[in-house]
Amino acid sequence: MRRIPTQQVKERTRRLSKLFHSYHPYQHKVGQEQVVLATEESHDGVHLVTHNKFYDQVLVPKAPELMGKMFSVKITSAGKHYLIGKLSSPPPPPSSLPSLP
């Protein structure tokens, strides 16, 4: 296989990087209210990883009582592969949830 000139490789890489940084797939969701489910603690230990109904990853400030619960958040910012939200309503108390048969 023939080797591609270094300058051409660098130019292709620059163009691809520029394209990658030009789009923001979650920006339109900032300001929305969404219901999420807390599933795990993030690697940084500061946030909980939650997911909305589209399985978008939403990071919320860590609160151990939220783990495994569904609650509402307001999306405050968006990254390339995640959303950041703040709690907008407390999770319902366990007694208000319907029991399984």
Side-chain angles (χ1 to χ4, degrees):
M1 185 175 232
R2 205 167 54 89
R3 189 168 168 87
I4 299 174
T6 305
Q7 283 307 110
Q8 188 177 4
V9 171
K10 287 182 179 182
E11 179 59 28
R12 288 180 181 180
T13 302
R14 268 193 290 277
R15 287 175 45 204
L16 192 57
S17 291
K18 186 177 177 182
L19 174 65
F20 178 77
H21 293 294
S22 72
Y23 67 91
H24 306 281
Y26 292 125
Q27 200 60 41
H28 67 284
K29 294 187 179 191
V30 173
Q32 290 183 357
E33 188 91 11
Q34 297 189 353
V35 176
V36 296
L37 171 65
T39 57
E40 62 186 291
E41 186 178 312
S42 66
H43 292 291
D44 66 8
V46 179
H47 296 94
L48 287 178
V49 177
T50 68
H51 295 279
N52 62 14
K53 68 179 179 179
F54 302 108
Y55 207 70
D56 297 330
Q57 188 179 76
V58 183
L59 300 175
V60 296
K62 185 177 174 183
E65 66 275 7
L66 297 177
M67 185 63 73
K69 304 267 188 344
M70 291 185 80
F71 49 92
S72 292
V73 297
K74 181 170 182 126
I75 304 301
T76 58
S77 63
K80 181 68 81 174
H81 305 289
Y82 61 91
L83 298 161
I84 294 180
K86 66 177 185 176
L87 192 63
S88 61
S89 73
S95 61
S96 70
L97 298 175
S99 59
L100 296 174

